[in-house]
Amino acid sequence: MTTPFYVSPQQAMADRADYARKGIARGRSVVVLTYADGILFVAENPSRALHKMSEIYDRIAFAAVGKYNEFENLRIGGVRYADIRGYSYARHDVTARGLANVYAQTLGTIFSSGGEKPYEVELIVAEVGSTTADDQIYRLTYDGSIADEHHYVAMGGNADQITEQLKRTHREGLPLDEALRVAVDVLGRDGSGEKRTITAAQLEVAVLDRTRSQQRKFKRIVGAQLARLLGEAAPAAEEPADTAADGAAADGAGEANGAAENGSTPKAEGSPEE
């Protein structure tokens, strides 16, 4: 009888962690940072269909790097959790901290299970407050660990180098255009410090804007508005930025959130498709 191959638990966990880290590092980075009026999300992502950042609830947004199908499943689960909790209790009971705890439990269970591979994802759950001091940013790794981040965070790709650059260039109270240029500048630098140009067409940008009059604070920045903030010439025949941004935000949690306001039962099938 052949002796079964033995791998120590420590080695098995180390191998799973190494597998997940390599998968995440292959993706392009995402930067999340605070600015004067809220929280800014910036990613190098030329796709207009496969989003790395999305609305979860009124004041909460989600960003991710790694395998799209895996973090999309987590995003949809987060939307359902938020809708049901907001309907069952109250809208202010849906918080980024509660959502981050749910994600941590899910990722931790998957990572420690020997029956399936670990998720190759890292997540950010952010909630904009009424003031800068109330903003919350949580980073979750593939093994379910949570970090409470302050002011800025980068994940995926060369995240360590980007974080070091953000330490030198980010400051509190930046206006939106300056914060965006800081994010694009650090995304355009590789590990050796060489700089490359990233255009508006290569970017996915969104904000949680505390100054918006409506209850939902998430907004995508696209088209002419994005080009203007970057100091580029606006593309011809571009869809108006506010229309495109509000349309994208209307996907997401809007359908189920509206059900909560109208007193109807939330539908899991109403989860957004970004």
Side-chain angles (χ1 to χ4, degrees), residues 30-96:
V30 171
V31 171
V32 179
L33 65 162
T34 58
Y35 71 103
D37 295 328
I39 301 173
L40 172 66
F41 302 78
V42 184
E44 187 178 356
N45 182 17
S47 174
R48 291 295 173 263
L50 306 179
H51 296 303
K52 291 186 174 183
M53 54 197 70
S54 301
E55 179 183 27
I56 295 290
Y57 209 63
D58 294 344
R59 306 171 72 89
I60 302 173
F62 166 101
V65 293
K67 294 196 70 173
Y68 177 80
N69 66 309
E70 294 177 348
F71 68 68
E72 179 67 4
N73 284 337
L74 292 169
R75 182 192 70 84
I76 292 172
V79 170
R80 290 174 175 165
Y81 161 84
D83 288 338
I84 292 172
R85 187 169 182 82
Y87 176 79
S88 301
Y89 300 97
R91 300 182 78 91
H92 63 261
D93 287 326
V94 182
T95 64

Side-chain angles (χ1 to χ4, degrees), residues 50-252:
L50 306 179
H51 296 303
K52 291 186 174 183
M53 54 197 70
S54 301
E55 179 183 27
I56 295 290
Y57 209 63
D58 294 344
R59 306 171 72 89
I60 302 173
F62 166 101
V65 293
K67 294 196 70 173
Y68 177 80
N69 66 309
E70 294 177 348
F71 68 68
E72 179 67 4
N73 284 337
L74 292 169
R75 182 192 70 84
I76 292 172
V79 170
R80 290 174 175 165
Y81 161 84
D83 288 338
I84 292 172
R85 187 169 182 82
Y87 176 79
S88 301
Y89 300 97
R91 300 182 78 91
H92 63 261
D93 287 326
V94 182
T95 64
R97 184 174 64 179
L99 184 62
N101 286 333
V102 171
Y103 280 144
Q105 293 173 25
T106 301
L107 289 170
T109 300
I110 292 170
F111 180 77
S112 59
S113 170
E116 55 184 319
K117 77 171 189 65
Y119 272 17
E120 300 168 61
V121 298
E122 283 191 13
L123 312 178
I124 288 174
V125 179
E127 179 178 358
V128 67
S130 55
T131 66
T132 303
D134 298 325
D135 293 342
Q136 299 177 43
I137 303 174
Y138 298 100
R139 178 182 181 181
L140 295 100
T141 55
Y142 52 85
D143 61 353
S145 300
I146 303 179
D148 184 6
E149 303 288 351
H150 300 282
H151 307 308
Y152 56 83
V153 60
M155 59 183 184
N158 55 332
D160 293 338
Q161 292 89 339
I162 290 175
T163 300
E164 288 299 318
Q165 293 167 23
L166 284 171
K167 286 180 181 178
R168 296 191 296 269
T169 56
H170 179 268
R171 68 179 189 275
E172 293 186 56
L174 286 172
L176 178 58
D177 57 343
E178 290 187 28
L180 178 58
R181 285 194 285 269
V182 166
V184 173
D185 180 71
V186 298
L187 285 173
R189 296 183 184 274
D190 59 22
S192 62
E194 293 293 327
K195 186 176 180 181
R196 57 192 175 87
T197 301
I198 302 177
T199 65
Q202 298 171 282
L203 291 171
E204 180 183 358
V205 180
V207 293
L208 284 170
D209 184 355
R210 79 176 101 257
T211 65
R212 295 193 85 191
S213 57
Q214 57 185 277
Q215 196 166 28
R216 294 166 58 198
K217 307 302 183 183
F218 182 85
K219 179 182 178 180
R220 295 192 185 278
I221 300 178
V222 297
Q225 183 184 15
L226 178 55
R228 184 173 66 252
L229 289 170
L230 290 172
E232 297 180 2
E238 186 67 53
E239 182 182 2
D242 289 342
T243 302
D246 291 340
D251 296 335

